């Protein structure tokens, strides 16, 4: 075995082959040997202010790039990134965490070393519960197979993976990969596929108003182009959900809008719920995607596919992968158009925002202005809070231009995730729409965005605290937070003062000017504080608050 080829190199070669070009994280003594090998590799090291943010950055990176990675030290680092990995597990985002660990000889002796919690199994056990595959690399002989197992599962199943690397194994010699890693592909039973496609096509052909509901699993499996081909073959109206927003283009003539159960616009709700053959593709029926479960379908009219099975009325067909079903159905259906009898009322143009002179900012006007501002080279990240409630109304044309955690819904996700987005796609500009409360969670990563010269635009909705919580329940002092001068944050984080701009917008004119400045100044990071201390909010948040309160009655 070559002395110079090590377990660390093996990990890095596999990550690089799988498309990882950047690793996010924080050093610590147990992981320094590994980090030396990172610096010597083609993968770029991106230090973050803390490990939670490294995890969110890796998640944003993975959503754009197919796989992300983070590096942490044991205990203090490993347990700090857990929330981000749990979010990636819930939302089905593939990222790999490499955690340094105490040397194997200390582990064997059960020594009381720094960063240990109770015992040497604890961290591994935590990660086993929130990853698709986890490995403890104590043996350089078996390490290659273990690393391959974790990376392959992570890529194939689109879920996080975990590698625990004891400090004395990082530099241990190991064999090089013999060949490229080929992740396993979940197989579809061809006979079952043929049967369910025939049944779906029969129902479809007999329907007068077929429609499609485009779900988040299509996004995670990168099946947008296949889904588009299917809906275009038969020209049916289609709706997306908040979690799958923009997977299919929103200026498409067949696009009807975002379906959110009873919270949907009436025209969208009717197209979906009154369809006599609804193709529900990769939909996760989560509370925040379904208007708190206010969906009203006649299940007997739904053909639903996802999670490795197809369901048509009462019949379930197991062992059918979503992509195989979508492609086979597109080939089986006769090209035709259902649009004439059911025209889709899509919007065709972005609104042109004309600021009214000396007019104080309101929430609806903020969102109108932003909607008009976004273009195809920008990726919008919308944070839980009013941003999340306003997001369905934005028109976004390209599949990868919208990121949201509709299911796990952690506040503080978007700012660090923008770092991952910016590094994965230098040609795209991240636009973060975040709340004052959310920003306070992970504000340090503004520093890394500036340090990495990422020209992100962070719009902070300063509405004086946790507005969404105020709407969901009787207000309480727990929803108050310290008022910051948000627009001055770039001055704090940018010592040289040449890479960033901070602005507070209190009027429509100031907002329009701030966004215009950000558009023209393409190379700089911008923070725009949208001043809404009177707690104004979107119609979407009012609706959410109302529904929550009704539900409790
Ligand atoms: C990590 C995390 N902690 C707590 C919550 C609960 N939570 C949801 S929204 C919210 C308040 C958000 O406030 P802000 O970011 O200011 O947005 P606003 O509602 O004011 O628009 C909180 C605390 C959460 N979703 N995630
Ligand atoms: Mg707020």
């Amino acid at each position: 075995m070559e002395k110079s080829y090590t377990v660390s190199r093996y990990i890095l070669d596999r990550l690089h082959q799988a498309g990882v070009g950047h690793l996010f994280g924080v050093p610590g003594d147990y992981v320094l040997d590994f980090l030396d090998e990172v610096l010597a590799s083609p993968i770029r090291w991106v230090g973050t202010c803390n490990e939670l943010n490294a995890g969110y950055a890796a998640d944003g990176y993975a959503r754009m790039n197919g796989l992300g990675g983070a590096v942490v030290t044991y205990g203090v680092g490993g347990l700090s990134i857990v929330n981000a990995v749990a979010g990636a597990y819930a939302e089905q985002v593939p990222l790999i965490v490499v955690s340094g660990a105490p040397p194997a000889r200390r582990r064997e002796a059960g020594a009381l070393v720094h960063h240990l919690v109770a015992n040497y199994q604890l961290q591994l056990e935590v990660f086993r519960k929130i990853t698709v595959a986890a490995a403890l690399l104590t043996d350089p002989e078996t390490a290659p197979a273990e690393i391959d197992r974790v990376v392959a599962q992570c890529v194939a199943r689109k879920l996080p993976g975990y590698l625990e690397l004891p400090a004395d194994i990082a530099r241990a010699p190991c064999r090089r990969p013999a060949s490229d890693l080929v992740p396993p592909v979940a197989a579809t039973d061809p006979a079952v596929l043929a049967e369910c496609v025939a049944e779906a096509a029969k129902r479809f052909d007999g329907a007068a108003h077929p429609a499609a509901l485009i779900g988040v699993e299509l996004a995670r499996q990168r099946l947008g182009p296949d889904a588009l081909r299917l809906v275009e073959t038969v020209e049916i109206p289609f709706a997306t959900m908040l979690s799958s927003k923009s997977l299919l283009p929103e200026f498409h003539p067949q696009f009807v809008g975002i379906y959110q159960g009873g919270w949907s616009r009436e025209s969208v709700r009717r197209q979906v719920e009154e369809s006599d053959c609804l193709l529900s593709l990769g939909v996760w029926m989560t509370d925040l995607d379904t208007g708190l479960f206010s969906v009203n379908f006649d299940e007997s009219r739904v053909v639903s596919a996802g999670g490795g099975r197809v369901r048509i009325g009462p019949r379930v067909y197991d062992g059918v992968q979503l992509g195989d079903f979508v492609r086979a159905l597109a080939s089986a259906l006769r090209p035709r158009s259902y649009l004439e009898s059911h025209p889709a009322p899509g919007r065709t143009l972005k609104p042109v925002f004309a600021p009214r002179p000396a007019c104080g900012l309101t929430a609806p006007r903020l969102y109108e202005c932003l909607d008009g501002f976004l273009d195809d080279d920008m990726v919008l990240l919308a944070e839980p809070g009013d941003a999340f409630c306003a997001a369905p109304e934005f028109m976004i044309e390209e599949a990868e231009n919208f990121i949201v955690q509709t299911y796990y819904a952690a506040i503080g996700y978007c700012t660090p995730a923008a770092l991952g987005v910016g590094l994965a796609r230098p040609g795209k500009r991240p636009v973060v729409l975040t709340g004052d409360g959310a920003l306070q969670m992970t504000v340090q990563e503004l520093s890394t965005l500036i340090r990495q010269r990422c020209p992100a635009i962070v719009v902070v909705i300063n509405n004086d605290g946790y507005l969404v919580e105020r709407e969901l329940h009787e207000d309480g002092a727990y929803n108050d937070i310290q008022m910051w001068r948000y627009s001055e944050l770039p001055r704090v984080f940018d010592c040289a003062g040449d890479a960033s701009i901070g602005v507070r917008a209190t009027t429509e004119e100031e907002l329009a000017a701030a966004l215009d400045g950000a558009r023209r100044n393409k190379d700089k990071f911008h923070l725009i504080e949208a001043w809404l201390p009177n707690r104004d909010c979107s119609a979407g948040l009012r609706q959410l608050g109302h529904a929550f309160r009704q539900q409790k009655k």
Side-chain angles (χ1 to χ4, degrees), residues 200-273:
K202 193 171 98 197
R203 285 179 174 240
F204 192 96
D205 283 340
H209 306 299
L213 184 56
I214 300 298
V216 60
E217 195 181 323
L218 290 168
R220 295 296 186 271
Q221 307 271 341
R222 301 188 161 235
L223 294 170
D226 295 301
L228 187 61
R229 195 183 137 231
L230 170 60
V231 298
E232 285 186 339
T233 301
V234 278
E235 282 194 25
I236 48 173
F238 66 82
T240 53
M241 300 173 86
L242 184 57
S243 57
S244 56
K245 181 175 170 58
S246 88
L247 177 64
L248 301 192
E250 298 198 328
F251 286 107
H252 195 288
Q254 291 164 238
F255 176 62
V256 293
I258 304 284
Y259 177 70
Q260 298 184 286
W263 300 355
S264 319
R265 251 186 290 128
E266 185 57 11
S267 57
V268 181
R269 194 195 61 72
R270 291 189 59 186
Q271 293 264 19
V272 172
E273 294 184 355

Side-chain angles (χ1 to χ4, degrees), residues 21-345:
H22 297 75
L23 282 169
F24 303 89
V26 179
D29 59 335
Y30 296 130
V31 79
L32 294 176
D33 281 340
F34 178 73
L35 287 178
D36 285 337
E37 299 248 25
V38 174
L39 296 187
S41 80
I43 298 181
R44 235 182 87 194
W45 171 246
V46 183
T48 52
C49 299
N50 64 43
E51 292 84 355
L52 173 65
N53 295 352
Y56 287 153
D59 179 308
Y61 190 90
R63 286 179 197 235
M64 300 303 281
N65 194 48
L67 182 65
V71 183
V72 296
T73 193
Y74 198 58
V76 289
L79 296 176
S80 173
I81 202 173
V82 163
N83 193 20
V85 178
Y89 190 67
E91 297 247 332
Q92 298 191 3
V93 177
L95 57 88
I96 291 193
V97 174
V98 179
S99 175
R105 61 177 192 285
R106 299 265 186 256
R107 179 184 284 272
E108 280 153 26
L112 298 183
V113 299
H114 60 284
H115 305 335
L116 187 68
V117 188
N119 61 61
Y120 280 89
Q121 289 307 312
L122 186 139
Q123 180 165 323
L124 184 61
E125 281 168 14
V126 168
F127 276 95
R128 278 198 206 288
K129 293 200 180 343
I130 52 169
T131 57
V132 65
L136 169 62
L137 305 173
T138 41
D139 180 356
E141 274 296 308
T142 57
E146 285 291 272
I147 296 162
D148 285 1
R149 176 177 66 82
V150 170
V151 176
Q153 284 295 316
C154 178
V155 172
R157 303 271 307 278
K158 316 277 188 240
L159 289 166
Y162 175 71
L163 296 171
E164 188 166 312
L165 180 63
D168 53 350
I169 303 296
R171 282 200 192 280
C174 95
R175 62 177 166 76
R176 283 177 186 268
S179 56
D180 282 354
L181 186 61
V182 183
V185 178
T188 287
D189 182 327
V192 182
L193 177 65
E195 209 185 331
C196 65
V197 166
E199 178 60 23
K202 193 171 98 197
R203 285 179 174 240
F204 192 96
D205 283 340
H209 306 299
L213 184 56
I214 300 298
V216 60
E217 195 181 323
L218 290 168
R220 295 296 186 271
Q221 307 271 341
R222 301 188 161 235
L223 294 170
D226 295 301
L228 187 61
R229 195 183 137 231
L230 170 60
V231 298
E232 285 186 339
T233 301
V234 278
E235 282 194 25
I236 48 173
F238 66 82
T240 53
M241 300 173 86
L242 184 57
S243 57
S244 56
K245 181 175 170 58
S246 88
L247 177 64
L248 301 192
E250 298 198 328
F251 286 107
H252 195 288
Q254 291 164 238
F255 176 62
V256 293
I258 304 284
Y259 177 70
Q260 298 184 286
W263 300 355
S264 319
R265 251 186 290 128
E266 185 57 11
S267 57
V268 181
R269 194 195 61 72
R270 291 189 59 186
Q271 293 264 19
V272 172
E273 294 184 355
E274 294 177 10
S275 166
D276 52 358
C277 181
L278 180 69
L279 302 179
S280 166
L281 304 172
V283 169
W284 299 348
M285 289 286 181
T286 66
D287 55 356
L288 296 180
D289 241 350
T290 59
L292 297 185
F293 305 117
S294 57
V295 293
N296 189 12
F297 291 149
D298 176 352
E299 287 292 340
S300 68
R301 295 169 165 191
V302 177
V303 173
S304 85
R309 60 166 58 113
V310 170
R311 185 188 295 269
I312 304 178
R315 178 96 196 262
V316 175
Y317 301 83
D318 277 315
V320 181
Q321 301 307 316
L322 182 58
D324 294 327
F325 179 73
V326 169
R327 285 184 291 267
L329 190 60
S331 303
L333 295 177
R334 270 180 299 129
R336 56 187 281 195
S337 175
Y338 289 87
L339 276 193
E340 256 168 275
S341 54
H342 250 257

